[in-house]
């Protein structure tokens, strides 16, 4: 393909990426280093028949003039990134000097807003990603092994979590784990505690969010793996069977290596997807027990005084977190392609 033809071919995609990805990221980055202007306070003296009193009031016109002169706000550099609501560098130093041990240090660190949200986000991503991929793989193997007549209904029921809107699916599970729901009553019976409530327990809330994440994510892995199983070379499988390979050996030495590129693709997609977990927390009304980085941004944007700069800083840190998590997979993939090319 000629260079000119190639450039015209990729031009629409490049323009779309510039408008909808690059520019928003640059905008967020700029907003994160500017803070809102401080209100101009004036001291006013009011006199009446009983005497004079001094009071302070906001000078609306002077404050508006500051905003007109510098719409982005006042430049603060990395001050927002290092404040208590984000990286909290000074607070971490104080905690380190006063902590009684590693356990006490981590407990105090995770009580800080950003690190508490980061802890849940990383836990959710680390558990949901492998379990959803593994469950999707197992379902794909099972569906691929049943008679063709039953595959249609099996595929339909396997895709139900993907068909149901995430918000609706989370609400259904939330109602089921309610104290009056079927799962809530079952948990109370198993624990022997009639007052047990998932909504009031942080560990149970985390567990329920992770269970929902696996349930809602595995259909995507199932679809990818099921499509990949249709491309497994039948000649290789038949040769392995003739050589006396067991089902486990065929799975280990033929099927899994063939599906390895799909697994890399799924890991990349699911890490990015799970790292921005948001809907289940809102549906479960679990903000008091579990906050993700996305929920942290949402809380800033819906505050009485919209904390746009704080939300922008958290967004940038979230992007950096995704890049750090994806880096090992990307580097490994690049090395695999380099070895294959050589």
């Amino acid at each position: 393909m000629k260079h000119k033809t190639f450039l015209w071919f990729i031009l629409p995609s490049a323009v779309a990426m510039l408008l909808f990805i690059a520019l928003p990221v640059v905008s967020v980055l700029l907003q994160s280093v500017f803070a809102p202007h401080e209100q101009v306070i004036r001291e006013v003296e009011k006199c009446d028949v009983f005497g004079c009193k001094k009071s302070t009031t906001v000078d609306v016109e002077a404050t508006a003039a500051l905003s007109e002169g510098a719409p982005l706000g006042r430049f603060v550099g990395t001050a927002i990134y290092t404040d208590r609501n984000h990286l909290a560098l000074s607070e971490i130093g104080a905690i380190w000097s006063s902590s009684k041990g590693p356990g006490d240090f981590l407990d105090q660190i995770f009580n800080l807003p950003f690190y508490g949200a980061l802890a849940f986000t990383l836990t959710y991503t680390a558990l949901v990603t492998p379990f959803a991929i593994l469950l999707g793989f197992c379902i794909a193997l099972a569906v691929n092994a049943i008679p063709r007549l039953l595959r249609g209904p099996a595929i339909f029921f396997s895709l139900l979590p993907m068909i149901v809107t995430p918000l609706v699916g989370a609400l259904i599970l939330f109602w089921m784990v309610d104290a009056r729901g079927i799962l809530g009553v079952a948990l109370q019976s198993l624990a022997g505690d009639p007052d047990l409530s998932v909504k009031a327990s942080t560990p149970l809330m985390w567990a329920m969010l992770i269970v929902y994440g696996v349930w809602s994510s595995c259909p995507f892995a199932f679809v990818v793996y099921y499509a990949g199983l249709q491309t497994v070379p039948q000649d290789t499988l038949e040769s392995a069977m003739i050589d006396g390979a067991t089902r486990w050996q065929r799975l280990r030495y033929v099927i899994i290596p063939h599906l390895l590129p799909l697994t890399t693709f799924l890991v990349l997609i699911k890490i990015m997807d799970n790292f921005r977990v948001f809907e289940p927390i809102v549906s479960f009304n679990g903000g008091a027990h579990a906050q993700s980085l996305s929920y942290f941004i949402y809380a800033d944007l819906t505050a009485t005084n919209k904390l746009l700069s704080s939300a922008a800083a958290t967004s940038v840190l979230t992007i950096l977190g995704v890049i750090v998590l994806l880096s090992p997979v990307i580097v490994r993939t690049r090395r695999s392609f380099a070895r294959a090319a050589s």
Side-chain angles (χ1 to χ4, degrees):
M1 183 182 293
K2 297 181 180 179
H3 288 180
K4 184 177 181 180
T5 305
F6 176 73
L7 290 175
W8 279 110
F9 180 75
I10 68 168
L11 182 61
S13 298
V15 172
M17 293 177 65
L18 177 65
L19 292 177
F20 301 111
I21 299 178
L23 289 181
V25 170
V26 171
S27 175
V28 168
L29 184 60
L30 284 175
Q31 185 64 60
S32 67
V33 295
F34 287 88
H37 292 290
E38 296 180 351
Q39 294 180 331
V40 179
I41 306 297
R42 301 292 186 189
E43 188 177 73
V44 180
E45 186 178 23
K46 294 182 179 180
C47 299
D48 52 24
V49 294
F50 300 103
C52 296
K53 294 182 179 179
K54 291 184 178 180
S55 61
T56 57
T57 184
V58 177
D59 192 328
V60 178
E61 293 183 358
T63 303
L66 288 176
S67 300
E68 290 178 1
L72 288 176
R74 51 193 175 88
F75 180 77
V76 294
T78 59
I80 298 176
Y81 289 94
T82 58
D83 65 9
R84 188 185 185 280
N85 289 328
H86 295 91
L87 297 180
L89 298 183
S90 59
E91 285 76 7
I92 289 179
I95 292 173
W96 175 261
S97 60
S98 62
S99 61
K100 301 177 181 178
D104 180 54
F105 175 74
L106 291 177
D107 287 341
Q108 294 188 60
I109 287 294
F110 291 142
N111 284 331
L112 296 172
F114 177 80
Y115 291 102
L118 181 62
F120 172 76
T121 303
L122 290 176
T123 302
Y124 183 91
T125 304
L127 293 178
V128 171
T129 299
F131 281 112
I133 292 175
L134 180 60
L135 182 58
F137 178 65
C138 293
I139 295 174
L141 289 176
V143 172
N144 194 57
I146 62 178
R148 290 184 177 275
L149 184 64
L150 300 177
R151 289 186 188 179
I155 292 174
F156 173 76
F157 285 109
S158 300
L159 293 178
L160 275 178
M162 183 180 290
I163 297 172
V164 177
T165 305
L167 188 62
V168 174
L171 283 173
I172 292 173
L173 184 59
F174 181 65
W175 294 330
M176 291 174 68
V177 300
D178 187 80
R180 295 169 294 176
I182 182 172
L183 293 180
V185 173
L187 287 173
Q188 290 174 351
S189 301
L190 291 174
D193 183 5
D195 297 324
L196 180 65
S197 173
V198 173
K199 302 175 184 179
S201 171
T202 297
L204 289 178
M205 180 61 72
W206 281 39
M208 194 54 57
L209 289 170
I210 291 170
V211 168
Y212 169 78
V214 174
W215 175 79
S216 63
S217 299
C218 71
F220 180 72
F222 158 70
V223 170
V224 174
Y225 277 131
Y226 184 74
L229 287 172
Q230 310 312 307
T231 65
V232 175
Q234 295 301 313
D235 295 341
T236 306
L237 285 176
E238 291 174 0
S239 300
M241 292 174 66
I242 294 173
D243 292 338
T246 63
R247 177 173 295 183
W248 165 248
Q249 289 173 332
R250 296 197 301 271
L251 176 66
R252 179 179 179 183
Y253 295 108
V254 179
I255 296 177
I256 291 180
H258 180 77
L259 298 179
L260 189 58
L262 294 180
T263 302
T264 302
F265 165 76
L266 283 171
V267 170
L268 290 171
I269 296 297
K270 298 315 296 179
I271 285 178
M272 290 186 290
D273 189 40
N274 293 327
F275 201 77
R276 60 179 181 84
V277 55
F278 174 71
E279 293 91 345
I281 300 175
V282 175
S283 303
F284 286 14
N285 197 22
H289 301 285
Q291 287 193 2
S292 65
L293 293 178
S294 296
Y295 189 88
F296 197 53
I297 297 170
Y298 168 77
D300 284 341
L301 293 176
T302 56
T304 304
N305 297 323
K306 293 184 179 181
L307 306 175
L308 300 180
S309 301
S310 177
T314 308
S315 299
V316 173
L317 292 173
T318 302
I319 294 172
L320 293 177
V322 171
I323 293 173
V324 170
L325 290 178
L326 294 181
S327 295
V329 182
I330 295 174
V331 170
R332 181 179 177 182
T333 304
R334 183 178 179 182
R335 288 176 179 174
S336 299
F337 278 111
R339 286 195 298 268
S342 60

